[in-house]
Amino acid sequence: MAHSLYCSIPKKPISSIVISSPHIIFNSVHKFVPPVTPSLFPCRYCTWSSVSSSVAETDEHYRQSPRLVAKEYADLNLADKFTEDVGNLRIRQHVNPLRRALMIPAEAPNWKEVFGDATLPLMVDIGSDLRKEIAGSGRFLMWLAKRNSSSMNYLGLEIRPKLVTRAEYWVNELGLKNVHFISTNAMVSFQRLVSTYPGPLMLVSILCPDPHFKKKHHKRRVVQKPLVDSIVNNLAHGGQVFIQSDVLDVALDMRDYFDAVPDKLVHVDSVDPSLPCDGDGWVLNNPMGIRTEREIHAEFEGCKIYRRVYKKVQH
Ligand SMILES: C[S@@+](CC[C@H](N)C(=O)[O-])C[C@H]1O[C@@H](n2cnc3c(N)ncnc32)[C@H](O)[C@@H]1O
C-alpha cells in the first residue's frame, strides 16, 4: 500500500492547480506556498487575536480569504446546500476541554451503521472544524471522502456539537457513506473510539489546533502525552500522523511530543527522500491535496505553516 506518494510541481497560482487522483492516504500534489515572514506571530491572522468583525468586514483582505476557501472547496458544491439552520453559527472563541462536562468519553458508534464499509482504512481528523461564522467549515474531510469514496473512511472528532450537527447535515446532503463526525473531546474519547474500529487506523491528523497561548492554559492543548500514546498504539504499521500549525510555539509543542517516540514513529523525510522539508525539518507543502480552512486563511495572510508527517515503524 502506498502511504506517502509525494511529488513536486512547479510553483503556480492555486487557481490553476489540477488535483491529481488521490492515493490511499495523501494526494500527490504540492500546492503553491506563498512567501512567508518567519516569526512566532508573523501576521494578524496568525496571532489568533480576536479581530472584531467590524474590523474584518471593512477590510477587503479579510473578505477575500473566505472566498478563497469557497474556491478551493468548490468541488463540493456546498453553497447550494446552505441552510440558515446549519450554515451560520456564532460560537465562542475557545472551548476549555478540561471542563468536567467535556471529560466524559463518547460511546463508540456501531461502525457498520456509520460507514458503508467499516473495514476500510481509517483517517481520523482531530479538531476537524473551524469556528468561523461562515458557511463551509468541516469541508476538509468531506472533500477527501468524496475523492476516496471507495478506499478510505474518514472520522472527524470535534468538541463543538453545533459544528458537528452542521457537518453531518452536509455529509447527508452530499450522500457520502465514508465520512462521519462525532462531537466529543478527542483528549478523552480517541482511545475508546479508534480501538473499536474494525479496520486499520492509517492516518491521524491534527491540523491547526487551538493554540491556548497562556502558559497556564497549555494543558488545554489537544496534543498531550496520553493522546499521543493512544495514537501511536492504535496506528497500523505504516500508518501516519500529520500535524501542522501556523503558530510556531504550538507546532514545536506537538513536534516534541511526537519526536519523543522514535522507536515507533519516524519523521517521513528520513524514509521518503521525495518529501521536501525546510532546514528545520518542517514539511514544506501540504501532502493531502487539499488545505484546511484555517490553513487557507493563514497562508493568504502570509503565515508559514509548520508541518510534520510521521510514519509508524517496527524496530
Ligand atoms: C482552529 S480550529 C482548526 C480547524 C481545522 N483543523 C482547520 O485547520 O481548519 C481547531 C478546532 O479544534 C476543535 N477542538 C479544540 N479542542 C478539541 C478537543 N479537545 N477535541 C476535539 N476538538 C477540539 C475546536 O472546536 C476547533 O473547531
Side-chain angles (χ1 to χ4, degrees):
M1 191 183 297
H3 297 305
S4 60
L5 301 172
Y6 303 88
C7 69
S8 296
I9 58 170
K11 287 186 173 185
K12 53 186 176 178
I14 288 163
S15 57
S16 68
I17 289 177
V18 179
I19 305 292
S20 71
S21 60
H23 298 282
I24 280 290
I25 296 186
F26 294 142
N27 284 321
S28 61
V29 171
H30 291 155
K31 295 199 168 189
F32 169 59
V33 179
V36 296
T37 318
S39 136
L40 261 183
F41 310 120
C43 64
R44 277 179 304 175
Y45 195 81
C46 294
T47 60
W48 288 72
S49 61
S50 47
V51 178
S52 78
S53 57
S54 58
V55 173
E57 279 157 17
T58 55
D59 186 340
E60 177 56 22
H61 208 50
Y62 274 80
R63 278 201 291 272
Q64 279 176 24
S65 181
R67 271 187 232 140
L68 273 183
V69 177
K71 194 170 178 184
E72 193 141 337
Y73 285 91
D75 210 23
L76 288 177
N77 199 24
L78 278 171
D80 295 345
K81 305 184 191 311
F82 172 85
T83 74
E84 276 198 357
D85 286 350
V86 296
N88 278 312
L89 300 178
R90 289 195 171 270
I91 291 164
R92 286 186 64 223
Q93 170 99 352
H94 279 161
V95 168
N96 173 6
L98 304 181
R99 260 175 38 211
R100 191 178 296 182
L102 295 173
M103 293 302 283
I104 302 160
E107 289 297 326
N110 179 342
W111 296 109
K112 288 182 185 158
E113 286 174 7
V114 160
F115 293 123
D117 177 357
T119 63
L120 289 178
L122 180 69
M123 170 178 174
V124 179
D125 184 47
I126 294 176
S128 54
D129 221 314
L130 184 64
R131 61 184 187 295
K132 291 283 284 184
E133 292 158 1
I134 54 169
S137 300
R139 289 177 288 187
F140 172 69
L141 277 193
M142 293 177 217
W143 190 95
L144 290 169
K146 194 174 171 193
R147 291 283 163 133
N148 304 305
S149 59
S150 58
S151 57
M152 193 102 183
N153 285 333
Y154 296 87
L155 176 64
L157 305 181
E158 168 52 55
I159 205 164
R160 295 161 195 268
K162 280 183 181 176
L163 299 182
V164 170
T165 306
R166 181 174 62 184
E168 281 294 306
Y169 174 88
W170 280 328
V171 168
N172 286 336
E173 288 288 299
L174 291 167
L176 295 169
K177 303 281 182 234
N178 62 330
V179 58
H180 184 64
F181 292 86
I182 296 179
S183 166
T184 189
N185 181 354
M187 293 163 99
V188 295
S189 297
F190 182 88
Q191 170 64 28
R192 184 186 281 193
L193 292 172
V194 299
S195 62
T196 60
Y197 181 73
L201 176 65
M202 291 312 295
L203 179 57
V204 177
S205 57
I206 308 169
L207 308 177
C208 302
D210 286 345
H212 297 291
F213 282 115
K214 290 182 187 165
K215 195 157 179 55
K216 67 176 181 181
H217 290 163
H218 283 188
K219 55 183 183 290
R220 297 181 183 179
R221 288 179 175 174
V222 70
V223 175
Q224 305 287 340
K225 190 169 184 316
L227 179 67
V228 172
D229 288 346
S230 183
I231 291 171
V232 170
N233 292 335
N234 284 286
L235 209 56
H237 176 59
Q240 298 191 351
V241 180
F242 173 29
I243 54 172
Q244 74 178 19
S245 178
D246 51 297
V247 179
L248 179 56
D249 176 60
V250 172
L252 288 170
D253 198 25
M254 292 196 288
R255 187 181 77 176
D256 288 349
Y257 277 113
F258 285 101
D259 278 3
V261 277
D263 52 325
K264 295 193 178 140
L265 289 183
V266 292
H267 193 246
V268 174
D269 60 350
S270 66
V271 288
D272 181 356
S274 70
L275 182 73
C277 292
D278 69 13
D280 296 320
W282 301 111
V283 176
L284 283 173
N285 300 306
N286 179 319
M288 303 299 300
I290 185 77
R291 297 178 297 167
T292 72
E293 297 179 36
R294 175 154 184 99
E295 191 179 350
I296 295 168
H297 293 299
E299 287 196 336
F300 178 66
E301 289 292 324
C303 305
K304 179 179 170 75
I305 305 290
Y306 302 92
R307 305 182 181 90
R308 300 277 287 172
V309 177
Y310 297 88
K311 184 170 183 175
K312 185 165 175 182
V313 290
Q314 265 172 353
H315 286 293

PDB file of all heavy atoms in Angstrom, residues 89-106:
ATOM      1  N   LEU A  89     -23.096  29.942  12.235  1.00  0.00           N
ATOM      2  CA  LEU A  89     -23.085  29.645  13.654  1.00  0.00           C
ATOM      3  C   LEU A  89     -22.243  30.685  14.378  1.00  0.00           C
ATOM      4  O   LEU A  89     -21.178  31.050  13.921  1.00  0.00           O
ATOM      5  CB  LEU A  89     -22.465  28.265  13.896  1.00  0.00           C
ATOM      6  CG  LEU A  89     -23.161  27.086  13.234  1.00  0.00           C
ATOM      7  CD1 LEU A  89     -22.395  25.814  13.539  1.00  0.00           C
ATOM      8  CD2 LEU A  89     -24.583  26.957  13.730  1.00  0.00           C
ATOM      9  N   ARG A  90     -22.771  31.137  15.503  1.00  0.00           N
ATOM     10  CA  ARG A  90     -21.970  32.031  16.342  1.00  0.00           C
ATOM     11  C   ARG A  90     -21.453  31.200  17.498  1.00  0.00           C
ATOM     12  O   ARG A  90     -22.205  30.662  18.292  1.00  0.00           O
ATOM     13  CB  ARG A  90     -22.820  33.193  16.845  1.00  0.00           C
ATOM     14  CG  ARG A  90     -23.153  34.133  15.719  1.00  0.00           C
ATOM     15  CD  ARG A  90     -23.679  35.473  16.214  1.00  0.00           C
ATOM     16  NE  ARG A  90     -23.761  36.383  15.075  1.00  0.00           N
ATOM     17  CZ  ARG A  90     -22.751  37.165  14.711  1.00  0.00           C
ATOM     18  NH1 ARG A  90     -21.621  37.164  15.379  1.00  0.00           N
ATOM     19  NH2 ARG A  90     -22.886  37.963  13.677  1.00  0.00           N
ATOM     20  N   ILE A  91     -20.138  31.111  17.574  1.00  0.00           N
ATOM     21  CA  ILE A  91     -19.550  30.177  18.521  1.00  0.00           C
ATOM     22  C   ILE A  91     -18.413  30.854  19.276  1.00  0.00           C
ATOM     23  O   ILE A  91     -17.694  31.677  18.727  1.00  0.00           O
ATOM     24  CB  ILE A  91     -19.040  28.944  17.754  1.00  0.00           C
ATOM     25  CG1 ILE A  91     -20.240  28.161  17.231  1.00  0.00           C
ATOM     26  CG2 ILE A  91     -18.198  28.034  18.621  1.00  0.00           C
ATOM     27  CD1 ILE A  91     -19.912  27.186  16.179  1.00  0.00           C
ATOM     28  N   ARG A  92     -18.274  30.512  20.550  1.00  0.00           N
ATOM     29  CA  ARG A  92     -17.229  31.134  21.370  1.00  0.00           C
ATOM     30  C   ARG A  92     -15.844  30.802  20.819  1.00  0.00           C
ATOM     31  O   ARG A  92     -15.611  29.761  20.223  1.00  0.00           O
ATOM     32  CB  ARG A  92     -17.333  30.634  22.809  1.00  0.00           C
ATOM     33  CG  ARG A  92     -18.507  31.229  23.563  1.00  0.00           C
ATOM     34  CD  ARG A  92     -18.463  30.814  25.002  1.00  0.00           C
ATOM     35  NE  ARG A  92     -17.283  31.338  25.669  1.00  0.00           N
ATOM     36  CZ  ARG A  92     -16.531  30.610  26.504  1.00  0.00           C
ATOM     37  NH1 ARG A  92     -16.802  29.379  26.740  1.00  0.00           N
ATOM     38  NH2 ARG A  92     -15.492  31.164  27.085  1.00  0.00           N
ATOM     39  N   GLN A  93     -14.914  31.719  21.102  1.00  0.00           N
ATOM     40  CA  GLN A  93     -13.563  31.582  20.563  1.00  0.00           C
ATOM     41  C   GLN A  93     -12.908  30.244  20.912  1.00  0.00           C
ATOM     42  O   GLN A  93     -12.504  29.495  20.059  1.00  0.00           O
ATOM     43  CB  GLN A  93     -12.715  32.742  21.101  1.00  0.00           C
ATOM     44  CG  GLN A  93     -11.225  32.629  20.840  1.00  0.00           C
ATOM     45  CD  GLN A  93     -10.786  33.440  19.641  1.00  0.00           C
ATOM     46  OE1 GLN A  93     -11.607  33.967  18.922  1.00  0.00           O
ATOM     47  NE2 GLN A  93      -9.499  33.523  19.421  1.00  0.00           N
ATOM     48  N   HIS A  94     -12.779  29.951  22.187  1.00  0.00           N
ATOM     49  CA  HIS A  94     -12.099  28.720  22.595  1.00  0.00           C
ATOM     50  C   HIS A  94     -12.925  27.949  23.599  1.00  0.00           C
ATOM     51  O   HIS A  94     -13.538  28.522  24.487  1.00  0.00           O
ATOM     52  CB  HIS A  94     -10.744  29.043  23.246  1.00  0.00           C
ATOM     53  CG  HIS A  94      -9.656  29.302  22.269  1.00  0.00           C
ATOM     54  ND1 HIS A  94      -8.501  29.967  22.596  1.00  0.00           N
ATOM     55  CD2 HIS A  94      -9.545  28.990  20.969  1.00  0.00           C
ATOM     56  CE1 HIS A  94      -7.724  30.048  21.529  1.00  0.00           C
ATOM     57  NE2 HIS A  94      -8.340  29.470  20.529  1.00  0.00           N
ATOM     58  N   VAL A  95     -12.891  26.645  23.479  1.00  0.00           N
ATOM     59  CA  VAL A  95     -13.548  25.780  24.453  1.00  0.00           C
ATOM     60  C   VAL A  95     -12.481  25.297  25.426  1.00  0.00           C
ATOM     61  O   VAL A  95     -11.363  25.000  25.018  1.00  0.00           O
ATOM     62  CB  VAL A  95     -14.169  24.564  23.720  1.00  0.00           C
ATOM     63  CG1 VAL A  95     -14.604  23.497  24.698  1.00  0.00           C
ATOM     64  CG2 VAL A  95     -15.337  25.011  22.867  1.00  0.00           C
ATOM     65  N   ASN A  96     -12.841  25.221  26.705  1.00  0.00           N
ATOM     66  CA  ASN A  96     -11.920  24.616  27.667  1.00  0.00           C
ATOM     67  C   ASN A  96     -12.207  23.119  27.701  1.00  0.00           C
ATOM     68  O   ASN A  96     -13.201  22.680  28.286  1.00  0.00           O
ATOM     69  CB  ASN A  96     -12.124  25.232  29.056  1.00  0.00           C
ATOM     70  CG  ASN A  96     -11.302  24.511  30.097  1.00  0.00           C
ATOM     71  OD1 ASN A  96     -10.506  23.629  29.781  1.00  0.00           O
ATOM     72  ND2 ASN A  96     -11.483  24.890  31.355  1.00  0.00           N
ATOM     73  N   PRO A  97     -11.324  22.293  27.101  1.00  0.00           N
ATOM     74  CA  PRO A  97     -11.612  20.856  27.002  1.00  0.00           C
ATOM     75  C   PRO A  97     -11.505  20.142  28.348  1.00  0.00           C
ATOM     76  O   PRO A  97     -11.884  18.977  28.440  1.00  0.00           O
ATOM     77  CB  PRO A  97     -10.529  20.353  26.042  1.00  0.00           C
ATOM     78  CG  PRO A  97      -9.412  21.324  26.188  1.00  0.00           C
ATOM     79  CD  PRO A  97     -10.021  22.649  26.524  1.00  0.00           C
ATOM     80  N   LEU A  98     -11.009  20.846  29.364  1.00  0.00           N
ATOM     81  CA  LEU A  98     -10.860  20.203  30.669  1.00  0.00           C
ATOM     82  C   LEU A  98     -12.085  20.421  31.564  1.00  0.00           C
ATOM     83  O   LEU A  98     -12.099  19.990  32.712  1.00  0.00           O
ATOM     84  CB  LEU A  98      -9.589  20.716  31.367  1.00  0.00           C
ATOM     85  CG  LEU A  98      -8.302  20.516  30.532  1.00  0.00           C
ATOM     86  CD1 LEU A  98      -7.078  21.029  31.279  1.00  0.00           C
ATOM     87  CD2 LEU A  98      -8.101  19.038  30.168  1.00  0.00           C
ATOM     88  N   ARG A  99     -13.082  21.127  31.019  1.00  0.00           N
ATOM     89  CA  ARG A  99     -14.334  21.273  31.776  1.00  0.00           C
ATOM     90  C   ARG A  99     -14.919  19.904  32.078  1.00  0.00           C
ATOM     91  O   ARG A  99     -14.901  19.022  31.213  1.00  0.00           O
ATOM     92  CB  ARG A  99     -15.344  22.072  30.940  1.00  0.00           C
ATOM     93  CG  ARG A  99     -15.424  23.526  31.357  1.00  0.00           C
ATOM     94  CD  ARG A  99     -16.325  24.316  30.468  1.00  0.00           C
ATOM     95  NE  ARG A  99     -17.523  23.602  30.043  1.00  0.00           N
ATOM     96  CZ  ARG A  99     -18.137  23.787  28.887  1.00  0.00           C
ATOM     97  NH1 ARG A  99     -17.659  24.667  28.029  1.00  0.00           N
ATOM     98  NH2 ARG A  99     -19.214  23.129  28.578  1.00  0.00           N
ATOM     99  N   ARG A 100     -15.460  19.760  33.274  1.00  0.00           N
ATOM    100  CA  ARG A 100     -15.940  18.437  33.685  1.00  0.00           C
ATOM    101  C   ARG A 100     -16.919  17.840  32.673  1.00  0.00           C
ATOM    102  O   ARG A 100     -16.841  16.658  32.335  1.00  0.00           O
ATOM    103  CB  ARG A 100     -16.603  18.540  35.061  1.00  0.00           C
ATOM    104  CG  ARG A 100     -16.879  17.175  35.656  1.00  0.00           C
ATOM    105  CD  ARG A 100     -17.481  17.261  37.021  1.00  0.00           C
ATOM    106  NE  ARG A 100     -16.583  17.878  37.989  1.00  0.00           N
ATOM    107  CZ  ARG A 100     -16.876  18.030  39.272  1.00  0.00           C
ATOM    108  NH1 ARG A 100     -18.028  17.628  39.730  1.00  0.00           N
ATOM    109  NH2 ARG A 100     -16.025  18.585  40.094  1.00  0.00           N
ATOM    110  N   ALA A 101     -17.802  18.678  32.164  1.00  0.00           N
ATOM    111  CA  ALA A 101     -18.821  18.179  31.228  1.00  0.00           C
ATOM    112  C   ALA A 101     -18.205  17.625  29.940  1.00  0.00           C
ATOM    113  O   ALA A 101     -18.843  16.844  29.228  1.00  0.00           O
ATOM    114  CB  ALA A 101     -19.796  19.303  30.894  1.00  0.00           C
ATOM    115  N   LEU A 102     -16.986  18.055  29.641  1.00  0.00           N
ATOM    116  CA  LEU A 102     -16.354  17.598  28.397  1.00  0.00           C
ATOM    117  C   LEU A 102     -15.381  16.448  28.629  1.00  0.00           C
ATOM    118  O   LEU A 102     -14.682  16.021  27.707  1.00  0.00           O
ATOM    119  CB  LEU A 102     -15.625  18.771  27.726  1.00  0.00           C
ATOM    120  CG  LEU A 102     -16.534  19.903  27.248  1.00  0.00           C
ATOM    121  CD1 LEU A 102     -15.718  21.092  26.766  1.00  0.00           C
ATOM    122  CD2 LEU A 102     -17.442  19.409  26.122  1.00  0.00           C
ATOM    123  N   MET A 103     -15.320  15.962  29.842  1.00  0.00           N
ATOM    124  CA  MET A 103     -14.365  14.892  30.161  1.00  0.00           C
ATOM    125  C   MET A 103     -15.001  13.499  30.104  1.00  0.00           C
ATOM    126  O   MET A 103     -14.402  12.513  30.511  1.00  0.00           O
ATOM    127  CB  MET A 103     -13.760  15.123  31.558  1.00  0.00           C
ATOM    128  CG  MET A 103     -12.869  16.364  31.638  1.00  0.00           C
ATOM    129  SD  MET A 103     -11.497  16.327  30.458  1.00  0.00           S
ATOM    130  CE  MET A 103     -10.383  15.189  31.276  1.00  0.00           C
ATOM    131  N   ILE A 104     -16.231  13.434  29.597  1.00  0.00           N
ATOM    132  CA  ILE A 104     -16.912  12.138  29.514  1.00  0.00           C
ATOM    133  C   ILE A 104     -16.661  11.544  28.123  1.00  0.00           C
ATOM    134  O   ILE A 104     -17.020  12.161  27.115  1.00  0.00           O
ATOM    135  CB  ILE A 104     -18.429  12.314  29.750  1.00  0.00           C
ATOM    136  CG1 ILE A 104     -18.657  12.967  31.109  1.00  0.00           C
ATOM    137  CG2 ILE A 104     -19.169  10.992  29.634  1.00  0.00           C
ATOM    138  CD1 ILE A 104     -20.012  13.618  31.258  1.00  0.00           C
ATOM    139  N   PRO A 105     -16.036  10.379  28.062  1.00  0.00           N
ATOM    140  CA  PRO A 105     -15.730   9.803  26.740  1.00  0.00           C
ATOM    141  C   PRO A 105     -16.993   9.468  25.955  1.00  0.00           C
ATOM    142  O   PRO A 105     -18.004   9.070  26.533  1.00  0.00           O
ATOM    143  CB  PRO A 105     -14.953   8.513  27.072  1.00  0.00           C
ATOM    144  CG  PRO A 105     -14.609   8.600  28.514  1.00  0.00           C
ATOM    145  CD  PRO A 105     -15.573   9.531  29.168  1.00  0.00           C
ATOM    146  N   ALA A 106     -16.910   9.630  24.650  1.00  0.00           N
ATOM    147  CA  ALA A 106     -18.052   9.295  23.784  1.00  0.00           C
ATOM    148  C   ALA A 106     -18.168   7.787  23.638  1.00  0.00           C
ATOM    149  O   ALA A 106     -17.158   7.080  23.652  1.00  0.00           O
ATOM    150  CB  ALA A 106     -17.847   9.926  22.413  1.00  0.00           C
TER     151      ALA A 106
END
